[in-house]
């Protein structure tokens, strides 16, 4: 089963992309950036063109980057942030 098909169904079961993104933003505000990014991934896999999901995920990746003490992890998160911002354009 293609991930896009599976995640379209899961996002629909969760009430739709808007509900999933609202929950992701709520988690982001509580500092749960990893979970926020993963919920955004579900929306992005269901609908790759969702620019809001890319922006919300990018914001959490940036926060994760600046919370890192490991230089490699910092670089990974910053690169992922840049890719998400590019996708949000």
């Amino acid at each position: 089963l293609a991930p896009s098909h599976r995640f379209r169904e899961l996002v629909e079961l969760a009430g739709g992309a808007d509900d999933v993104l609202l929950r992701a933003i709520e988690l982001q505000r509580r500092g749960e950036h990893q979970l926020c990014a993963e919920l955004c991934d579900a929306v992005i896999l269901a609908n790759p063109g969702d620019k809001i999901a890319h922006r919300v995920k990018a914001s959490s990746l940036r926060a994760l980057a600046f919370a890192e003490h490991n230089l490699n992890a910092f670089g990974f998160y910053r690169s992922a942030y840049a890719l998400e911002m590019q996708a949000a354009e």
Side-chain angles (χ1 to χ4, degrees):
L1 188 62
S4 60
H5 184 72
R6 180 176 56 245
F7 281 100
R8 269 194 303 274
E9 184 64 24
L10 289 172
V11 166
E12 188 62 32
L13 284 169
D18 290 345
D19 286 349
V20 175
L21 286 175
L22 284 173
R23 178 65 176 153
I25 292 166
E26 181 182 314
L27 291 165
Q28 189 179 63
R29 288 183 178 146
R30 293 189 344 212
E32 295 187 49
H33 296 288
Q34 185 65 47
L35 185 52
C36 172
E38 291 188 30
L39 288 180
C40 289
D41 275 340
V43 173
I44 291 165
L45 282 166
N47 179 19
D50 193 316
K51 295 185 182 306
I52 295 170
H54 284 288
R55 287 186 188 278
V56 172
K57 181 180 176 186
S59 179
S60 277
L61 290 171
R62 186 174 186 275
L64 287 166
F66 285 107
E68 262 306 326
H69 299 291
N70 179 297
L71 188 57
N72 289 331
F74 173 81
F76 169 79
Y77 283 125
R78 289 289 291 164
S79 294
Y81 161 79
L83 290 172
E84 292 300 329
M85 289 303 292
Q86 208 171 31
E89 292 179 350

